[in-house]
Amino acid sequence: MTKKYKYCLDIISKFDESIDIEVVLDVDTNKAEQKIRSYSLLPYGTGVEHKIAVLYKGVDYDKISSFSGVYVGFDDVLDNLKSKKFRSKYAFLVTTPFFLPYLDKVKAILGQSSLYPSIRDGTLVEDIFSSIYNLTERQVNYKSSLSGVIKCSFGRVSYLEKQLKENAEFLITDIIKKHPTNIRSFLIKGVRISTTMGPCVRISLNSLNIF
């Protein structure tokens, strides 16, 4: 694994590229109950800076608005969510169960933009502060594709090899823990990594501490 990581990381780049991982699952993608959608809190985060919109009003408004890259509001957020330009600026929309019903009028367009708050995505929460910290520092969201592959970023080229290895091991182990309970034998067929502009490299499961 060491040589393959170095091969991937030694690619000359003009910017700090993201490093993506593809986890190929042994699942039946024709069965909705075998699809996976969740998130993991990586030990070293992804290195990706996300902008977050927060639907909220209350005593903690000023504290929430002090976070970098966070836009918080209520009436203005509800109005702005109708704008495609506004929605494209933000990777996540965070709110609490109390405020969720106010999003009913824009639920359809939020669903199309993958912005509708969800417990599975860590964006429908009681503790907004923890959610913002996780989303900006450690959290990576993922879901299995129609071909049974989970693809997401797990670091940057500037990360140390140790950090990337631990992030990858934690992510894969977490995916295994969160597998659908109706699948008796949950197997991972393979793992591949690549940089944004680089080639895809296969990683041996035996080189990872995941079992």
Side-chain angles (χ1 to χ4, degrees):
M1 181 175 183
T2 300
K3 291 182 179 179
K4 290 187 176 182
Y5 261 129
K6 287 183 177 179
Y7 173 73
C8 198
L9 300 180
D10 286 343
I11 297 171
I12 297 175
S13 174
K14 294 182 179 179
F15 62 96
D16 191 13
E17 296 180 78
S18 291
I19 300 184
D20 300 328
I21 188 169
E22 294 183 10
V23 182
V24 185
L25 308 175
D26 184 16
V27 295
D28 186 349
T29 56
N30 293 318
K31 297 180 179 179
E33 66 272 15
Q34 292 193 17
K35 294 180 180 179
I36 295 178
R37 176 183 172 185
S38 189
Y39 66 89
S40 297
L41 302 178
L42 303 182
Y44 300 100
T46 63
V48 180
E49 296 182 1
H50 295 298
K51 288 189 175 181
I52 302 170
V54 179
L55 179 67
Y56 178 83
K57 61 179 178 180
V59 294
D60 292 323
Y61 177 90
D62 290 336
K63 292 181 180 179
I64 296 172
S65 61
S66 66
F67 282 91
S68 176
V70 173
Y71 181 92
V72 59
F74 190 74
D75 291 329
D76 53 336
V77 169
L78 289 174
D79 289 336
N80 286 327
L81 285 173
K82 300 174 184 177
S83 166
K84 184 176 180 180
K85 184 177 180 180
F86 179 85
R87 296 195 304 273
S88 65
K89 290 182 180 179
Y90 298 94
F92 302 104
L93 173 62
V94 176
T95 193
T96 68
F98 179 81
F99 294 113
L100 188 64
Y102 292 94
L103 292 173
D104 285 348
K105 292 184 179 180
V106 290
K107 183 176 182 178
I109 58 176
L110 290 180
Q112 296 172 1
S113 305
S114 299
L115 277 178
Y116 193 74
S118 166
I119 294 176
R120 292 183 298 178
D121 293 334
T123 50
L124 180 60
V125 296
E126 293 290 353
D127 188 347
I128 289 181
F129 294 102
S130 294
S131 177
I132 293 175
Y133 170 76
N134 290 335
L135 289 169
T136 55
E137 298 291 337
R138 298 179 57 199
Q139 184 167 318
V140 58
N141 290 45
Y142 51 80
K143 62 180 179 180
S144 54
S145 67
L146 293 176
S147 57
V149 177
I150 288 177
K151 182 177 181 179
C152 60
S153 294
F154 73 106
R156 292 279 190 172
V157 170
S158 59
Y159 277 32
L160 298 175
E161 183 181 327
K162 173 180 177 293
Q163 294 174 318
L164 290 170
K165 187 173 186 294
E166 289 184 17
N167 267 359
E169 290 173 343
F170 183 92
L171 175 61
I172 295 172
T173 300
D174 209 31
I175 290 173
I176 293 173
K177 289 179 179 178
K178 294 175 179 177
H179 79 271
T181 55
N182 60 313
I183 305 178
R184 293 183 179 179
S185 178
F186 182 76
L187 300 175
I188 291 179
K189 291 182 178 179
V191 176
R192 302 185 290 262
I193 64 171
S194 64
T195 59
T196 304
M197 304 295 290
C200 189
V201 179
R202 293 182 182 276
I203 300 298
S204 171
L205 289 173
N206 293 329
S207 67
L208 297 172
N209 183 24
I210 57 176
F211 299 107

